């Protein structure tokens, strides 16, 4: 884990999960959806993104109960094309055990649509069991985002907790939410 006060060397992070989706919307509308609590609460299953849209700014994802589920910092911010943030789930000991996570959103015009690419990269190699949670969650989140922007309605996706990921974390001694 990066020591406080020391710069984060993102060149050492390796992409583990990459999704690309096409959305019938403008780059500005996709940017707004990715960076605003008002939009994210709808497609992100009650979770609200709060971002200070400048390099070094705070990045928070609040759970429906208002608690900070994810905290991080803005690493790169080029509206409406690029946003890179640290994405640290606030479970005791998790970041120390797994290292830091970076999430990058790349937004590119593609005719009358937008190509949105989400990349999740990690400070150190992680097992497929650990990665299985995000690999199940990201497609649902991004599909719901697409649906919201194109139809005005998010998807009503019913997902079970990521049992494989949670079991792997528990085996590492990480206390997971009940």
């Amino acid at each position: 884990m990066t020591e406080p006060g020391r710069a984060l060397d993102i060149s050492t992070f390796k992409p583990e999960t990459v999704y690309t989706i096409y959305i019938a919307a403008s780059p500005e509308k996709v940017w707004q959806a990715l960076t605003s609590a008002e939009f994210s609460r709808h497609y992100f299953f009650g979770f609200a993104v709060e971002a200070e849209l400048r390099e070094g700014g705070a990045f928070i994802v609040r759970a429906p109960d208002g608690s900070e589920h994810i905290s991080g910092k803005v690493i790169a911010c080029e509206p409406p094309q690029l946003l890179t943030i640290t994405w640290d789930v606030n479970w005791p000991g998790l970041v120390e055990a797994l290292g830091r996570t970076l999430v990058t959103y790349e937004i590119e015009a593609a005719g009358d649509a937008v190509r949105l690419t989400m990349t999740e990269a990690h400070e150190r190699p992680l097992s497929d069991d650990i990665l299985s949670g995000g690999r199940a969650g990201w497609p649902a989140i991004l599909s719901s985002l697409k649906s919201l922007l194109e139809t005005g309605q998010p998807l009503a996706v019913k997902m079970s907790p990521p049992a494989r990921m949670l079991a792997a974390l528990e085996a590492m001694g990480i206390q997971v939410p009940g």
Side-chain angles (χ1 to χ4, degrees), residues 38-165:
E38 173 192 344
F39 269 95
S40 60
R41 208 174 270 116
H42 296 288
Y43 70 81
F44 202 166
F45 314 109
F47 287 79
V49 169
E50 299 174 6
E52 293 176 356
L53 296 174
R54 59 176 173 75
E55 190 174 316
F59 179 85
I60 297 168
V61 178
R62 290 198 187 276
D65 67 5
S67 65
E68 277 190 29
H69 178 61
I70 293 164
S71 60
K73 293 284 182 210
V74 175
I75 304 298
C77 183
E78 300 171 21
Q81 294 106 4
L82 175 73
L83 180 64
T84 300
I85 62 230
T86 56
W87 185 278
D88 298 326
V89 178
N90 291 323
W91 294 350
L94 188 71
V95 173
E96 293 79 6
L98 302 181
R100 310 291 303 272
T101 299
L102 284 179
V103 170
T104 298
Y105 297 110
E106 295 173 85
I107 302 167
E108 301 172 74
D112 290 335
V114 164
R115 180 175 54 239
L116 171 62
T117 302
M118 185 288 309
T119 303
E120 184 183 277
H122 300 277
E123 190 171 27
R124 55 183 85 133
L126 300 176
S127 72
D128 282 339
D129 288 342
I130 298 293
L131 295 170
S132 68
R135 288 178 176 167
W138 280 115
I141 294 164
L142 296 176
S143 294
S144 189
L145 166 67
K146 174 182 172 65
S147 181
L148 179 63
L149 288 174
E150 291 180 349
T151 71
Q153 295 297 316
L155 294 178
V157 178
K158 297 291 182 195
M159 295 183 67
S160 299
R164 191 170 142 205
M165 180 195 78

